[in-house]
Amino acid sequence: MQWGPDRWTFYRLAGREAARTARSAMARVTAGPSTLSRLRPTGLVIAPQDLRTSDATIAADIYGGLFVFAGRALATGGRSPFDFAPPSPEWGEALYGFGWLRHLRAADSALARSNARAFVQDFMAGRGDRELANRPPVVARRLISLLSQSPLLLEGADHAFYQGFLRTLGRCVRHLDLALRRGILPGDRLSAAVALCFAGLCCEGFEPVLRRGTRLLTRELARQMLPDGGHRSRNPTFIKDLLLDLLPLRQSFLTRDIAPPEALLNAVDRMVPLLRLLRHGDASLGHHNGTGATEADQLATLLVYGGASGTPLMHAPYTGYTRLEGGATLVVADVGPAPGPAYSAAAGAGCLSFELSSGAQRLVVNCGMPATGEDMRRLARTTAAHSTASLDDTSSCRFLDPRGPGFAHPLASWLRRRLGPAVVRGPARVTAERSTEPDGAAVVAARHDGYAPTLGLLHERRLCLSPDGGCLDGADGFVRPSSAGPAVPAAIRFHLHPTVRAAREGRAVLLSAGNGELWLFEADATDPVIEESVYFAAFNGARRTEQIVLHLAAEAGTRATWRFRRLSA
């Protein structure tokens, strides 16, 4: 692949990763044997609560041999699902993570318990793809799931199954300990720390595991969590999933009459208000930096159990999100820099993108992250898949993609195996200022430099939401801080939710929302164009939708103003 002006950034990243690999290898050689490798659990003390949504009807599908995970389905015809090749990596991770056992528990029947034990017995017998099953995040999820669903699995079980179950828990702990000693990505380290804490709290004889997990959890929360409650990945889904584990973990500490780590308590207290900032009126999260479809009941459960006040955070300067409210209308905008490479495997090139909703009706969206499909995920991360400005048909981020010939191809392939499809270069300097107009309108003005290294232009955006929420005024401008250069083709995109229909109304665009509202989009200097788009963040797969696009030539001083105006409620 051709790296152009990013080649030295790429080589520096490769050098840092090579040095980290060498340090990890040296640590493995010089370190003594782990004390956790000799531990065996002797019994279970408690079973942590699982806050994730369960559905007894899914248990019926599983009993019938239909396994639907991550947007893919597999019909086993009465055979074990572990005898089949996974339809996608994400499907396999869900299968071997055993989170789906909660649906069998919701069925609350002897048949469901017997069925669950049979599946776990198949796995304990060695069936399935061990390479996929032993990936650190999958092992961490499996350990938490087995502990949470132990009442389902062990009620009515014989002694042999119980002993095999304990051995499986011990193997999970040893796998995680070995992976941590070898070195894994930060997000996986945090997941492993949570799983080790659960194992130490729930199992007799695992006191050293609890001490190790608590130390690791305290360290990783301090390193990875930001002061405003966000995570360094800037991924709202990661925050939601982490909180779904941290809340039961906090309760498990209290159940065992052990004081939870201060870092755990502080993280939970900060994360809940941030989720409120990112939540729209339909009770789902904004589609930023790796977030796709959100299970609204999970989010509602978190906000109830989290115990935070009903007032959301309005601005998260460290995580890089801001929220404007007016009446029942709200805007959530991405005003943060690209995450570091180790945290950016799911991050998108959506700097200064925004999403607009009116009550429970989503109007302007980003395309969102699909549940599966490498090509679709690659497309969903581009700037063109976000409601912001893209220049010269390129993205504001450069992703680690080893496709194509060239000297750097083997090196890029090695880096991708280590880091995933990470962001190599993206917006580094992003500024955002909030203010209030004399009439009470909420304003945010932001700027990013994602296109400066390649095209020499900065993108500026100003959003102003009226107090009653009836009008969102916006302006996009471009600045060239260095010497003059040629004009660059630009496209300012506004992706519409699939329930919104667009039609030309003179030089404007009339939007008919699913809730009956009518909105009018107007642009002052450029005629808007209605084009096809795709919405990836739907539970039933990608859906066709539309987008409004302003095409223009961007150069120093170019400015485009536009507005969304509500006509009726």
Side-chain angles (χ1 to χ4, degrees), residues 233-480:
S233 67
R234 304 189 61 236
N235 186 344
T237 296
F238 187 94
I239 301 170
K240 173 185 70 74
D241 290 341
L242 179 61
L243 194 56
L244 282 168
D245 290 330
L246 292 186
L247 286 173
L249 181 60
R250 181 181 66 178
Q251 185 59 45
S252 296
F253 272 103
L254 297 175
T255 301
R256 291 295 309 274
D257 200 22
I258 300 173
E262 195 68 24
L264 169 59
L265 300 178
N266 291 338
V268 169
D269 289 342
R270 295 195 304 265
M271 291 166 72
V272 175
L274 180 68
L275 284 179
R276 292 187 185 276
L277 182 155
L278 296 166
R279 185 180 66 160
H280 283 267
D282 63 350
S284 65
L285 294 172
H287 306 125
H288 307 280
N289 289 300
T291 295
T294 305
E295 296 187 34
D297 45 0
Q298 284 189 2
L299 191 54
T301 299
L302 283 177
L303 298 181
V304 170
Y305 276 82
S309 66
T311 302
L313 188 69
M314 299 304 291
H315 185 57
Y318 297 94
T319 309
Y321 294 105
T322 195
R323 178 184 178 104
L324 304 178
E325 289 186 353
T329 306
L330 66 88
V331 174
V332 178
D334 178 345
V335 292
Y343 298 92
S344 63
C351 193
L352 303 197
S353 66
F354 75 95
E355 295 193 320
L356 169 68
S357 60
S358 176
Q361 175 65 54
R362 301 291 285 268
L363 298 171
V364 177
V365 296
N366 296 321
C367 293
M369 182 65 77
T372 188
E374 183 177 354
D375 290 338
M376 288 195 299
R377 284 175 171 248
R378 185 184 298 113
L379 178 62
R381 299 175 69 194
T382 62
T383 300
H386 295 78
S387 293
T388 186
S390 61
L391 299 181
D392 200 25
D393 288 328
T394 61
S395 289
S396 58
C397 291
R398 184 67 186 269
F399 301 104
L400 184 58
D401 188 351
R403 294 180 303 168
F407 169 76
H409 173 72
L411 191 56
S413 299
W414 174 77
L415 269 178
R416 185 182 171 103
R417 288 194 298 271
R418 299 280 301 178
L419 300 174
V423 173
V424 175
R425 188 265 308 155
R429 180 172 173 77
V430 183
T431 60
E433 296 182 0
R434 290 176 60 95
S435 60
T436 303
E437 297 284 88
D439 63 355
V443 178
V444 61
R447 168 193 284 192
H448 82 80
D449 64 350
Y451 287 106
T454 53
L455 301 174
L457 287 170
L458 306 180
H459 175 210
E460 298 179 332
R461 168 165 278 183
R462 183 181 188 273
L463 301 173
C464 177
L465 183 63
S466 63
D468 64 354
C471 184
L472 174 66
D473 284 289
D476 287 283
F478 302 93
V479 177
R480 190 180 294 276

Side-chain angles (χ1 to χ4, degrees), residues 496-501 532-535 541-546:
L496 303 177
H497 191 269
T499 59
V500 177
R501 295 290 175 262
E532 291 185 347
S533 180
V534 61
Y535 182 68
R543 296 177 60 184
R544 293 183 62 180
T545 185
E546 295 174 310

